[in-house]
Every structure is written in C-alpha cells, then in structure tokens.
Amino acid sequence: MTHIVQSQSGRPATFPLKHIAAAALLALAGGAAPAAMAGVIDFNNFDNTFVGHTDYFETGGFRLTGESNVLGANPGDLVGAILDGSDRYSCDIACPTNNSSNYYAALNDGILFLEASQPGGLVSVQGFDASFIGHAQGISYPAVSGLLRLQGFYADGSSVYETYQLGGPIGGNFLFQHYDTSSSFGSQQFASVAFFGFSCNTAGSCSAFSTNKGQFALDNIVASVPEPSTYAMLLLGLAGVGFAARRRQQA
C-alpha cells in the first residue's frame, strides 16, 4: 500500500475563488496535446486513512494534495479520508454505498488539488466518478444535495471552471455517478486542478466554504499529463512566438 506524505508546506490556506480568462499565450500553451500519458486514479493503492491539510500522495505521474479553505489552517487539520467502500463501518456519515473499492472522501469543505508529479508539469481531466456525502444519516436531503466544482489553474494563476450537480439519495442512499468534463475543459492543460464542493438546501441555494457540509466522494479520475516530447514541442512553440514578436518590434 502507498502511504500519504505528511507535508509541512503547501499553498496558502486561503483558496482563490475566481474565474479569470486565461491570457492568449497561456491559452495556446493550455490547448489539447496530441501526445499525453493518460491514467485512471482509483485510490486502490492507498491505505485507508485520514488526510490532513497539505498531506499529499502520488500515483501514475500525478500528485493529489488535500487542503483546507480556512485561513490559518494548520498541517494535519482534517480535510478528507481514503475510505474502503466494501467496509460499511469505514464511514459513519452518509457516504455513497455503490462502490466496493477505495475512494477519496473530501470532508469539512476540504479541497483536493490534482497536479503532475513532475515539477512544472501540466495536467488535464476528462472525467471522474463522484457523489455527495451527507453530514448525517437518516435525515432528508434535497434532490440536488450539492455541487462539485472543478477549477483549472494556469501557470499565471488565472483559471476556468466547470460545476456538476450531485444528486440526493436514491432509495435512501447516496450513489456514485460518472461525469465527463466538457471537451473545452478536458482538452486544456493546467498547472493544477482543484476539486471542491457546495452544499445545497431545499430552496436550491448552494454555498461553498461556509458550512463544513460541502462534502463529496471522488473516484476513478480520468486524467492525463503531456509526455516529455510534448513539453519540448510546447517550448519550441513558445520560443517561436517570442522570436516572431522580436522580429515585429525590429521591423
């Protein structure tokens, strides 16, 4: 089994919730890459354990980091857990019941960041399985119990995002469902992708980072990272853009 690394460093605890259009140059760099290493992150090679703020784990060229949205959060503050879906005692709140393998549970409004293991690498996300996690069993939840947002960050900090509805209980239980990202989002290459949840009430109002109830389960993330040859092509392309710009200035 692979163990989570208890990290003492990470991003600032405050998470930037903003939607900024990428610069034109980064849009070129973030476009679809013809050569990429794709994989499915299924959490089955990880121990069942709690995940604290800034803890991270790596698999198949990807790094996943749990982070808190709370200003001044301390390393180790609970943000998630890797749970065994075949063990009904591994979750004492309202977790999904239709997964018999390991999955990631984001707790306490926690955020999960996905990045390439290679420093400076890029990552794309094409799909995933997800479910809402209720804060208690045996109570009523709305038909849309929560939202899951994927926010992709470019190297300059600008970002784009997509939001997905997480349904309420079916037959009394929350269930995993599969989601595909749009072609425009899934073809982009990001410095990092954040997964975070919203909790919705019966009036249809949804909020993030304010209730500790924006909890969700995540599994089978379909992601890809460019192969080294793609990075070389990208660097050559950016060098060409810079050379053309210098030629125009000199003309």
Side-chain angles (χ1 to χ4, degrees):
M1 303 293 282
T2 304
H3 294 275
I4 292 175
V5 177
Q6 309 296 324
S7 174
Q8 297 300 314
S9 62
R11 298 173 191 78
T14 302
F15 179 67
L17 277 178
K18 57 183 179 179
H19 182 189
I20 307 173
L25 186 59
L26 285 172
L28 289 172
M37 295 181 290
V40 177
I41 304 170
D42 60 14
F43 302 98
N44 289 335
N45 292 327
F46 299 110
D47 294 325
N48 304 136
T49 187
F50 293 112
V51 178
H53 173 58
T54 71
D55 291 349
Y56 69 89
F57 41 106
E58 296 184 340
T59 180
F62 303 100
R63 172 179 285 198
L64 299 107
T65 306
E67 297 200 10
S68 173
N69 69 88
V70 178
L71 183 65
N74 295 310
D77 288 353
L78 182 65
V79 296
I82 296 177
L83 300 180
D84 181 359
S86 67
D87 180 4
R88 64 189 182 93
Y89 297 107
S90 68
C91 176
D92 59 1
I93 51 179
C95 292
T97 59
N98 63 333
N99 187 336
S100 59
S101 62
N102 286 6
Y103 62 88
Y104 184 81
L107 306 174
N108 297 333
D109 288 349
I111 308 159
L112 183 66
F113 277 92
L114 172 64
E115 302 166 300
S117 296
Q118 176 183 336
L122 303 175
V123 65
S124 301
V125 177
Q126 288 76 45
F128 54 90
D129 296 342
S131 168
F132 189 73
I133 295 179
H135 65 280
Q137 297 179 349
I139 65 174
S140 297
Y141 293 93
V144 176
S145 294
L147 306 175
L148 177 59
R149 178 164 292 176
L150 270 64
Q151 188 161 358
F153 290 89
Y154 297 101
D156 70 344
S158 64
S159 66
V160 295
Y161 64 78
E162 291 191 341
T163 306
Y164 307 85
Q165 293 184 347
L166 301 178
I170 298 176
N173 297 308
F174 287 103
L175 303 175
F176 272 101
Q177 295 181 328
H178 181 74
Y179 300 83
D180 291 315
T181 61
S182 69
S183 58
S184 59
F185 189 94
S187 64
Q188 295 297 301
Q189 294 175 356
F190 301 108
S192 65
V193 178
F195 296 77
F196 58 96
F198 292 66
S199 177
C200 302
N201 59 29
T202 54
S205 176
C206 303
S207 60
F209 306 147
S210 60
T211 64
N212 273 350
K213 297 178 183 179
Q215 305 182 134
F216 59 93
L218 189 64
D219 200 4
N220 298 321
I221 304 170
V222 181
S224 57
V225 295
E227 292 181 348
S229 60
T230 303
Y231 284 115
M233 292 174 61
L234 176 59
L235 290 173
L236 286 173
L238 293 177
V241 171
F243 177 74
R246 288 194 296 273
R247 286 286 300 273
R248 285 195 297 270
Q249 290 174 354
Q250 295 170 359

